Amino acid sequence: MNPKRIQVCLSPALLPFYDLNGTVAVVIDIFRASSSMCYGLANGARAIIPVAELDECLAYQDKGYLLAAEREGAVVEGFDFGNSPFSYTREKVEGKTIVLTTTNGTRAIRLCAGAEAVVIGSFLNISALSNWLRDQDQHVLLVCAGWKNHVSLEDSVFAGAVVDRLIGSGIELDDAARAAQTLYLEAKGDLAAFLDKASHSKRMRHLHIKQDIAFCLQIDQVSTIPILKDGALGCLLGDVQTAP
Amino acid sequence: MNPKRIQVCLSPALLPFYDLNGTVAVVIDIFRASSSMCYGLANGARAIIPVAELDECLAYQDKGYLLAAEREGAVVEGFDFGNSPFSYTREKVEGKTIVLTTTNGTRAIRLCAGAEAVVIGSFLNISALSNWLRDQDQHVLLVCAGWKNHVSLEDSVFAGAVVDRLIGSGIELDDAARAAQTLYLEAKGDLAAFLDKASHSKRMRHLHIKQDIAFCLQIDQVSTIPILKDGALGCLLGDVQTAP
């Protein structure tokens, strides 16, 4: 495994063109699924079960799980909550198992199932994640969940931030990783201002969830790294050690 | 049609997620198919027929056409030439119809067939193209041919250069267009140095076709805009008016 490959997959629709063998896949859905997953597990959630469809989520009803569902940026009627990080506070999630379906993020997680490991990245856990990735004797594929298979600015910029932390001798980047890093270097001086132009920021302003954006752009709030095991996300590392 | 949409499709594999109705598709394969198409038509080629497969290309044998085929960056054995712009000089192509198949570019052209118009962009014709696009009462989709469905730096940067020329009031950009423009603004001071990091530049150095890169990065060498009509590319505008 020399050189170590760092690649960025800018849309889940491009995943079939990447080799997941010997590769850690990092799923990125900054606004807001991956941010909420990191925050929820750091706040003591036992596990988060990502499912692709609303029906799958509903199948967990009446079993003591918290059911979370987001579509088009809003909580789906009849569910406990969606993917706002403010629903993943300690009071709400400690000791609970959450079943979550979102427009983009949970689908991306399922598509990565063939990787050696699937972990979750967000600005909230970026240093813990990057340090762990640096230590792995595996290639790294940063998978942007995007929006309905379209490229999203916030996921791409975050991927670039991780590339920027991992770059070094013996590291090989693909063109998408170089592009993402360039975006990040341009954005990092004022992330919020840069991402204010993103289509998802507009979508979220429209839904009056602007405070979620500011929350999701906070750096290093947790050291938790969510990792997929047997179909559920638990903590790999961090201040709260839970297992599914 | 207000606002006018400018979008960037970073890989042909993402085309199914874009609406081609009321849209001009611009196919971009900077190294080297789209550059050679612009140059060849400007040099008096009667038409260029893009085909996806080698077999389709061979079907035109013995009919007086020039057959051009590139795979993995090299001329396929048994063909007149590949996609190096130095094969598309006036001496070689004037009055001729060329049948061309390439790894990425010609496939992207075929995938865009549902658009209102399909035109070809390269640095060689960027101003003529951008001015024409600005005048169209259509949305614009900049389609990067990439490399085997992966994002390529040179096509993305060129898409961003066109976005940068079209941006203005009444124009709506998607996130990929904003990302591409950011890349271009970072690259434009020294395009060659920026793109020297691109994976395709390495591929081409390896094939000893470095001079092709410099050729394809020249700005405004022609005013020809190749446009697809009845399966063949002819000139829309420019100093040499030909029709398929």
Side-chain angles (χ1 to χ4, degrees):
Chain A
M1 220 268 321
N2 204 358
K4 179 169 175 164
R5 249 186 353 243
I6 313 284
Q7 296 179 298
V8 174
C9 175
L10 289 167
S11 158
L14 298 178
L15 261 174
F17 308 110
Y18 291 87
D19 182 6
L20 295 175
N21 286 322
T23 298
V24 176
V26 182
V27 177
I28 300 161
D29 188 4
I30 295 302
F31 297 151
R32 301 162 281 168
S34 67
S35 304
S36 293
M37 287 166 177
C38 295
Y39 189 54
L41 286 169
N43 280 330
R46 274 182 62 76
I48 299 175
I49 303 174
V51 298
E53 302 300 334
L54 291 172
D55 281 356
E56 294 175 71
C57 198
L58 280 172
Y60 286 87
Q61 219 164 10
D62 306 322
K63 291 179 182 168
Y65 296 107
L66 284 174
L67 302 192
E70 169 270 343
R71 286 295 181 272
E72 305 293 333
V75 178
V76 180
E77 216 183 305
F79 285 81
D80 299 327
F81 49 88
N83 64 357
S84 168
F86 296 105
S87 298
Y88 292 75
T89 56
R90 187 166 292 280
E91 301 72 51
K92 292 180 181 164
V93 303
E94 191 165 28
K96 304 275 176 62
T97 294
I98 303 158
V99 186
L100 171 65
T101 180
T102 70
T103 309
N104 307 290
T106 57
R107 201 179 130 250
I109 292 170
R110 303 296 280 256
L111 289 172
C112 290
E116 300 295 325
V118 180
V119 297
I120 305 295
S122 72
F123 286 107
L124 300 177
N125 75 342
I126 186 167
S127 291
L129 173 72
S130 302
N131 292 337
W132 181 77
L133 290 171
R134 194 180 296 111
D135 291 342
Q136 303 310 301
D137 193 21
Q138 305 268 351
H139 301 299
V140 175
L141 179 62
L142 298 153
V143 180
C144 300
W147 182 262
K148 298 182 179 179
N149 290 315
H150 284 251
V151 171
S152 81
L153 211 47
E154 67 278 9
D155 296 345
S156 308
V157 164
F158 176 80
V162 177
V163 171
D164 196 58
R165 282 161 169 80
L166 297 181
I167 208 165
S169 71
I171 299 286
E172 192 178 272
L173 303 184
D174 71 348
D175 279 19
R178 291 194 185 279
Q181 189 202 14
T182 302
L183 278 184
Y184 167 69
L185 292 175
E186 194 58 33
K188 74 173 186 178
D190 190 344
L191 267 184
F194 188 85
L195 293 177
D196 194 50
K197 296 178 285 186
S199 59
H200 204 56
S201 297
K202 288 180 197 136
R203 217 173 283 126
M204 289 171 77
R205 268 200 298 278
H206 203 70
L207 293 163
H208 307 294
I209 43 183
K210 205 174 165 184
Q211 73 276 26
D212 286 28
I213 295 181
F215 189 93
C216 294
L217 296 182
Q218 297 176 100
I219 309 277
D220 290 338
Q221 298 300 299
V222 306
S223 55
T224 309
I225 302 172
I227 186 164
L228 192 67
K229 270 186 192 156
D230 302 325
L233 294 164
C235 293
L236 173 71
L237 289 170
D239 39 8
V240 181
Q241 294 285 345
T242 64
Chain B
M1 221 268 324
N2 202 359
K4 179 168 175 164
R5 245 184 1 239
I6 313 285
Q7 295 179 299
V8 174
C9 175
L10 289 167
S11 158
L14 299 178
L15 260 174
F17 309 110
Y18 291 88
D19 182 6
L20 294 175
N21 286 321
T23 298
V24 176
V26 182
V27 177
I28 300 161
D29 188 4
I30 296 302
F31 297 151
R32 299 162 283 169
S34 67
S35 304
S36 293
M37 287 167 177
C38 295
Y39 189 54
L41 286 170
N43 280 330
R46 274 184 62 76
I48 298 175
I49 302 174
V51 297
E53 303 299 335
L54 291 172
D55 281 355
E56 294 175 71
C57 198
L58 280 173
Y60 286 87
Q61 218 164 12
D62 307 321
K63 291 180 181 167
Y65 296 107
L66 283 175
L67 302 193
E70 168 270 343
R71 286 294 181 273
E72 306 292 334
V75 178
V76 180
E77 216 183 306
F79 286 80
D80 298 328
F81 49 88
N83 64 358
S84 169
F86 295 106
S87 299
Y88 292 75
T89 56
R90 187 167 292 278
E91 302 71 52
K92 292 181 182 164
V93 302
E94 191 166 29
K96 303 275 176 62
T97 294
I98 303 158
V99 186
L100 171 65
T101 180
T102 71
T103 309
N104 308 291
T106 57
R107 202 180 129 250
I109 291 170
R110 302 297 280 258
L111 288 172
C112 289
E116 300 295 325
V118 180
V119 297
I120 305 296
S122 72
F123 286 107
L124 300 177
N125 74 343
I126 186 167
S127 292
L129 173 73
S130 301
N131 292 337
W132 181 78
L133 289 171
R134 193 179 298 111
D135 290 343
Q136 302 310 300
D137 194 21
Q138 305 267 352
H139 302 298
V140 174
L141 180 61
L142 299 153
V143 180
C144 300
W147 181 262
K148 298 181 179 180
N149 291 315
H150 284 251
V151 172
S152 80
L153 211 49
E154 66 277 10
D155 296 345
S156 308
V157 164
F158 176 80
V162 176
V163 170
D164 196 57
R165 282 161 170 81
L166 297 182
I167 209 166
S169 70
I171 299 286
E172 192 178 272
L173 303 184
D174 71 348
D175 279 18
R178 293 194 184 279
Q181 189 201 14
T182 303
L183 279 183
Y184 167 68
L185 293 175
E186 195 57 33
K188 74 174 186 176
D190 190 343
L191 268 184
F194 188 85
L195 293 177
D196 193 49
K197 297 178 285 187
S199 60
H200 204 57
S201 296
K202 288 180 197 137
R203 219 172 282 127
M204 289 172 77
R205 268 199 297 278
H206 203 69
L207 293 162
H208 307 295
I209 42 182
K210 205 174 162 183
Q211 73 276 25
D212 287 28
I213 295 181
F215 189 93
C216 295
L217 296 183
Q218 298 177 100
I219 309 278
D220 290 338
Q221 299 299 299
V222 307
S223 55
T224 309
I225 303 172
I227 185 164
L228 192 67
K229 271 186 193 158
D230 303 325
L233 294 164
C235 293
L236 173 72
L237 290 169
D239 39 8
V240 180
Q241 294 286 344
T242 65

